[in-house]
Amino acid sequence: MNQTIHIDADWRSLFHYGEELCGDRVMMKRNDEAFVMVLADGLGSGVKANILSTLTSTIITDMIFEGLTLHEAVETIAATLPVCEDREVAYSTFTILKINFITSKAYLAQYDNPLAVFIRDNQIMEIEKKEVFIGEKKIYESQFDLQPGDHIMYFSDGILYADTEMQLNLNWGQKDVEDFLAAAIQKEDPARECTRILLAMVNSLYGGKPTDDCTVAAVRILPARETVVMAGPPKDKKDDETVMHRLLSATDQKIVCGGTTSQIAARFLQTDVVPDTDTPMLDDVPPKAFIKGIDLVTEGQLTLQKVNFLFQKALKDKDFYEEMILSKEEDGASCLFRALALSSAVTFIMGLSENKGHQNLAGVSLDAKKMLIQQISDSLNELGKFVSIEMY
C-alpha cells in the first residue's frame, strides 16, 4: 500500500419532524488515492429539499473526485439545480471534504453551512480559510495536514440553535457545538460514535421533534493498516508459500477461512489447528479454530455465506450494523463480520483450487465462493473500506 493514512467515515441524519424525506444528503466516494465526502443541505425540507441536496451532493462529489475545480463544480450546480417556484431560487448549501491518502492532506470547501470542526487531541484546531467568490456565492476554502487520531466533523444548520420550540436557542450555537465535541469526542472514538453522540444531544435539545433536518458527517483519521483474509488453497501448491508470506505481511489482522486453508497455514507456521470447543455451536455456522500466529480461523464457504447475509442486512439497517459491531457473540460469522467491519483496508487472497469434496454440494463451489467474496467486498466498499481481491 502507498497510503500514509486511512479514514473511518460515517454520517447520519434526523428528519424534520413529520417529514418522510430528509432535505440533507451526504455522498461519499473513494479510491486508493483519495476520498471525497460532500454534505448538501437543500432549501426548506421535504421532497424539494431532498431533490436539491441529492443533485448537489452527487454532482459535486463526482466532479471533485474526478479532479475538476471547485469553480467548475459550482457553475455546473448553478446550471443544473431546478428553481424553487415559491422563492424563485435554486439553492443548496454544501460542505466538501477531500482527503489525499498519499500526502495526508485535506481540502475543505464550505458554502453557507456551519463551519467544520477539526479536533486533535481533544482540542479544537483552527482551520485557516480564504474567501473565494464564484458568482455571488462566498465560499471558504482550506487546506491542511492530517495525522492519525484527528477528527473532522461537519453538519447542516439544523444542528445549530436546536430548541424544543421553533425559536433560536442562543445557548447552543457554533461555539457551543465545538465545546461539546471537544469534551465528548475521544481520540479513539470511531466516526459512527461521533455522529451518534452529536445527534443524540441535538435530538434531546429538540425534545425528540426536530424542527429542521439535522445531518452530521464525521471522519476519523487512521494509520494505514491492512487486514488480509486467506480463503481457499491456491490452484498450484507451489504458491502455498507465496500466499502465506502475503497473509503474514498484513499490518492489521491475519484471517484464514476454510479447512484446507487452515492446514496450509498451520503447516507453514509449524503448529497445529486447534478446534474451538468452548463456543456454543450454531446450526448455520460451523465452529471456529485456533492457529498460533493467526488472529481468526473460521470454516470456509458456509461461514462466508452467513457473513454476506449479515452485511446485506447491515447495509439496510444501521442499527443492526451497530449491534453486530458491539456484539459479544463468538461464532465464526460474527467474529469475521466484526473483523472486517472494523478494518479500514481488507485484502482477500482467494485460492482457486476446486475442492473435490464439494462437487456434489448445492451452492458450494469455487464459482459460488468467488461470488460471495465479491459481494462481501462490494458491501465493504459501500461502507467505505479499501478492498482488493488477489487470486492464486
Side-chain angles (χ1 to χ4, degrees), residues 204-275:
S204 175
L205 291 171
Y206 274 122
K209 296 181 179 180
T211 54
D212 196 2
D213 296 311
C214 305
T215 297
V216 182
V219 168
R220 175 190 175 206
I221 308 303
L222 304 170
R225 302 180 66 192
E226 175 195 35
T227 289
V228 177
V229 182
M230 180 178 172
K235 187 173 184 178
D236 190 336
K237 289 186 178 181
K238 293 179 181 178
D239 287 329
D240 286 2
E241 185 173 342
T242 299
V243 168
M244 281 304 303
H245 281 298
R246 179 69 183 92
L247 172 67
L248 297 177
S249 72
T251 50
D252 200 349
Q253 298 186 74
K254 304 167 183 65
I255 299 173
V256 171
C257 299
T260 305
T261 317
S262 301
Q263 294 298 330
I264 293 172
R267 186 166 57 249
F268 182 85
L269 293 169
Q270 298 182 352
T271 187
D272 298 317
V273 179
V274 180

Side-chain angles (χ1 to χ4, degrees), residues 1 6 225-232 242-257 261 265 293-298 336 339-340 343-351 373 380 386-392:
M1 295 188 300
H6 285 167
R225 302 180 66 192
E226 175 195 35
T227 289
V228 177
V229 182
M230 180 178 172
T242 299
V243 168
M244 281 304 303
H245 281 298
R246 179 69 183 92
L247 172 67
L248 297 177
S249 72
T251 50
D252 200 349
Q253 298 186 74
K254 304 167 183 65
I255 299 173
V256 171
C257 299
T261 317
I294 302 298
D295 297 295
L296 176 63
V297 181
T298 75
L336 183 53
L340 298 177
S343 297
S344 57
V346 178
T347 296
F348 289 97
I349 303 175
M350 189 189 307
I373 291 177
L380 291 170
F386 294 104
V387 188
S388 60
I389 301 173
E390 300 173 7
M391 299 187 184
Y392 287 86

